[in-house]
Amino acid sequence: MNKYASGVLEKLQTRMPWEKEFLATVEEVFGSISTVLDRDSHYESYSLLENLVEPDRIINFRVPWRDDQGKIHVNLGYRVEFNNALGPYKGGLRFHASVNQSILKFLGFEQIFKNALTGLPIGGGKGGSDFNPRGKSETEIMSFCQSFMLELANYIGPSRDVPAGDIGVGSREIGYLFGTYKRITKLYDGALTGKGEGWGGSILRPEATGYGVTYFLEEILKKQDDSVKGKVVAASGFGNVTWGVVKKVNELGGKVVTLSGPDGFIHDKDGITGEKVEYMLKMRLSGNDRVEDYADKFGVPFYKGQKPWGIEGIDVAIPAATQNEVNVEDVKIMEKNGVQFVIEGANLPLELSAINYIQETKMIYAPGKAANAGGVSCSQFEMAQNSSGVHWTEAEVDKQLHHVMSFIHSQCYDTAIEYDQKDNYLLGGNIAGFKRVADAMLDQGMV
Ligand code: NDP
Ligand code: 2IT
């Protein structure tokens, strides 16, 4: 690693050793951009990295809410406004028991480069709460969302900060959040994305992340004179992103044969098609967090407590559940089983050591900050539609999404070649994203 970068990383490690997820992401990005820093010392002379690793601000707040028995609970709410060099802070809200400041800083840091790669005018942010939506009733979810927005509304707006969904936050939660935002501010604007299609949302936003992941895979395959047709895909998770992947892979003639949840994974050799795709949505909305239900309903094998990476006959692996779900051992199993492409649907599903290992293999690896950028891109389309008061058709949104994904792909691919690292999408993506945001920061002065 470049000396300047390793010095900045060491200072961060000493100052906040407990922020493990965040430190791992910084290390991953710094590893990729070292050559840029070696070649160009002016980033160091402006202390660019020291500025880049500190969020503009972190907003922490208390979220009291009442359960159906009348008992009051208090959760923590956060919004990390990380970097707005390229546009308003933009990024999702995560409601999950595991949420803490380190996780949101890591997601916010990733989001800066992801959003930069899209070429769209959006900065990086992330937020959420350690509220656990599992098993909560409709009224409890509503009560929580309303209380969360009571505070968050002070900080968001279409030109300042535009949250959206992430794990545990879908269109239902965005609805409750938007209703409260409107009531407090008296404004009907694009301060949130992922809204319902009938009231300001963009068509295809629910599908956009998974569609984008598949378009990115398609671009990679094109470079190999190949296509998605006939490809067998193992995916993890069974949420929004996995659902979009399943739909688009089917449409392009491939098949997805696994889904996973915290309980284990299912293997459906025939592929997840037809009514099974809609059943995925039902499972997700049930709040049960069990994929075993799929196995019971469709009579396919369920592997309790296991991950789907050991299945044979897989061409493409798409981890799309959560961070750090794939370790070095998992990558070794994929390699042994002949997996050729590992495409990140989730944010940082591969542990740092797994990322380092995969670079040594023949497998092509696409990082989430490039491959899963379709969701935030469609969010930006929603912002554009809201501010100009128009509603794009499905064909228009899909065309723009396809265009952005192929633009991101070519930036990663071409930059990797420029740095003599053909097919290193991680290096290409990190360098291209870094340069765009770093140069904008320098142009705007160190403020
Ligand atoms: P969802 O809430 O729809 O689904 C995530 C699911 O994964 C949850 O059911 C979760 O269960 C489950 N899960 C957690 N840990 C595991 C595990 N070890 N194995 C299998 N499943 C697990 O989230 P999304 O689909 O929206 O997001 C998935 C990933 O994609 C996240 O990393 C997110 O940050 C990323 N992403 C999402 C975008 C979006 O637009 N929604 C855009 C870009 C990236 P449980 O709650 O029990 O842990
Ligand atoms: O990780 C992500 O890119 C998202 N959760 C989507 C963010 C957004 O603003 O749509």
Side-chain angles (χ1 to χ4, degrees):
M1 189 185 288
N2 165 276
K3 212 166 143 231
Y4 166 47
S6 63
V8 174
L9 178 63
E10 267 164 38
K11 266 192 219 147
L12 270 186
Q13 285 163 336
T14 314
R15 216 168 65 216
M16 40 190 100
W18 56 87
E19 293 200 338
K20 295 206 166 23
E21 295 85 357
F22 174 57
L23 292 168
T25 318
V26 173
E27 188 175 340
E28 179 237 282
V29 173
F30 280 9
S32 297
I33 62 171
S34 278
T35 326
V36 180
L37 301 169
D38 289 343
R39 286 186 194 176
D40 191 340
S41 63
H42 85 296
Y43 294 117
E44 181 172 2
S45 43
Y46 285 95
S47 299
L48 194 281
L49 295 185
E50 289 88 330
N51 276 286
L52 188 64
V53 296
E54 291 304 333
D56 288 351
R57 66 195 66 78
I58 301 178
I59 299 145
N60 291 294
F61 50 96
R62 176 175 66 81
V63 190
W65 58 279
R66 195 189 304 266
D67 70 20
D68 290 343
Q69 284 69 48
K71 186 170 165 23
I72 308 287
H73 301 263
V74 181
N75 282 96
L76 302 176
Y78 307 82
R79 186 71 184 165
V80 180
E81 294 187 333
F82 221 123
N83 187 300
N84 66 354
L86 298 177
Y89 305 106
K90 181 82 196 90
L93 295 172
R94 177 176 291 193
F95 292 170
H96 195 270
S98 64
V99 162
N100 58 38
Q101 189 160 297
S102 168
I103 289 182
L104 295 179
K105 278 177 74 179
F106 119 65
L107 290 164
F109 193 67
E110 277 282 294
Q111 199 82 43
I112 301 171
F113 304 102
K114 182 194 302 193
N115 294 2
L117 278 173
T118 66
L120 300 167
I122 39 179
K126 199 85 189 187
S129 172
D130 59 357
F131 172 73
N132 180 5
R134 194 186 295 175
K136 300 292 186 299
S137 71
E138 193 82 22
T139 48
E140 289 171 336
I141 301 269
M142 192 194 293
S143 160
F144 177 80
C145 289
Q146 290 174 337
S147 179
F148 185 83
M149 185 50 83
L150 212 53
E151 184 63 28
L152 189 71
N154 294 311
Y155 313 103
I156 63 172
S159 318
R160 172 172 175 178
D161 185 352
V162 186
D166 190 74
I167 292 180
V169 179
S171 57
R172 175 183 61 176
E173 290 74 18
I174 293 291
Y176 297 149
L177 292 164
F178 186 67
T180 312
Y181 169 80
K182 235 174 29 151
R183 182 136 193 225
I184 298 167
T185 62
K186 325 285 182 290
L187 298 171
Y188 201 112
D189 59 24
L192 287 162
T193 61
K195 300 187 289 300
E197 214 192 298
W199 42 277
S202 176
I203 200 160
L204 282 191
R205 176 63 189 85
E207 289 90 343
T209 310
Y211 277 21
V213 169
T214 316
Y215 288 148
F216 200 85
L217 168 66
E218 193 186 28
E219 295 295 323
I220 292 179
L221 287 164
K222 266 194 220 161
K223 288 283 177 198
Q224 318 279 325
D225 287 325
D226 203 345
S227 74
V228 177
K229 198 166 172 19
K231 291 282 171 298
V232 181
V233 178
S236 64
F238 66 102
N240 185 261
V241 179
T242 313
W243 171 68
V245 167
V246 168
K247 281 180 69 167
K248 190 50 87 178
V249 167
N250 286 343
E251 204 182 300
L252 298 180
K255 68 175 175 181
V256 180
V257 297
T258 65
L259 299 175
S260 75
D263 54 338
F265 80 94
I266 62 99
H267 183 200
D268 187 342
K269 278 199 182 98
D270 297 334
I272 297 152
T273 52
E275 61 160 328
K276 297 170 182 172
V277 183
E278 293 318 305
Y279 188 73
M280 272 184 77
L281 281 186
K282 273 198 210 140
M283 276 196 311
R284 188 75 203 98
L285 287 175
S286 75
N288 266 344
D289 274 332
R290 273 162 48 93
V291 283
E292 192 174 2
D293 293 351
Y294 182 105
D296 294 344
K297 179 152 174 78
F298 299 111
V300 301
F302 169 70
Y303 298 88
K304 194 177 159 87
Q306 292 184 45
K307 302 182 197 176
W309 317 125
I311 294 284
E312 287 178 9
I314 300 296
D315 304 301
V316 184
I318 305 188
T322 192
Q323 68 272 3
N324 294 334
E325 55 167 311
V326 178
N327 59 30
V328 178
E329 293 314 311
D330 297 323
V331 176
K332 286 184 179 162
I333 290 170
M334 291 178 191
E335 188 184 18
K336 186 170 139 266
N337 285 348
V339 170
Q340 290 166 276
F341 306 94
V342 179
I343 315 292
E344 290 188 336
N347 286 310
L348 234 75
L350 267 68
E351 286 180 0
L352 189 55
S353 52
I355 295 176
N356 292 337
Y357 179 80
I358 208 166
Q359 312 282 359
E360 309 298 321
T361 72
K362 287 204 175 106
M363 289 187 277
I364 291 190
Y365 160 68
K369 61 172 77 79
N372 74 30
V376 76
S377 300
C378 193
S379 274
Q380 198 280 335
F381 304 159
E382 186 170 325
M383 290 163 72
Q385 292 169 72
N386 290 163
S387 64
S388 54
V390 296
H391 190 65
W392 298 0
T393 61
E394 179 171 339
E396 179 65 18
V397 175
D398 201 24
K399 190 177 104 192
Q400 296 290 343
L401 180 64
H402 214 147
H403 173 77
V404 171
M405 294 317 296
S406 113
F407 173 71
I408 298 171
H409 175 271
S410 51
Q411 284 180 96
C412 297
Y413 187 82
D414 296 346
T415 309
I417 289 185
E418 192 186 325
Y419 283 81
D420 226 4
Q421 298 262 344
K422 187 171 174 298
D423 289 336
N424 189 338
Y425 286 89
L426 178 69
L427 182 116
N430 275 336
I431 292 182
F434 168 76
K435 277 189 167 173
R436 180 157 301 135
V437 72
D439 292 344
M441 287 168 75
L442 293 182
D443 288 348
Q444 292 166 22
M446 279 303 148
V447 286

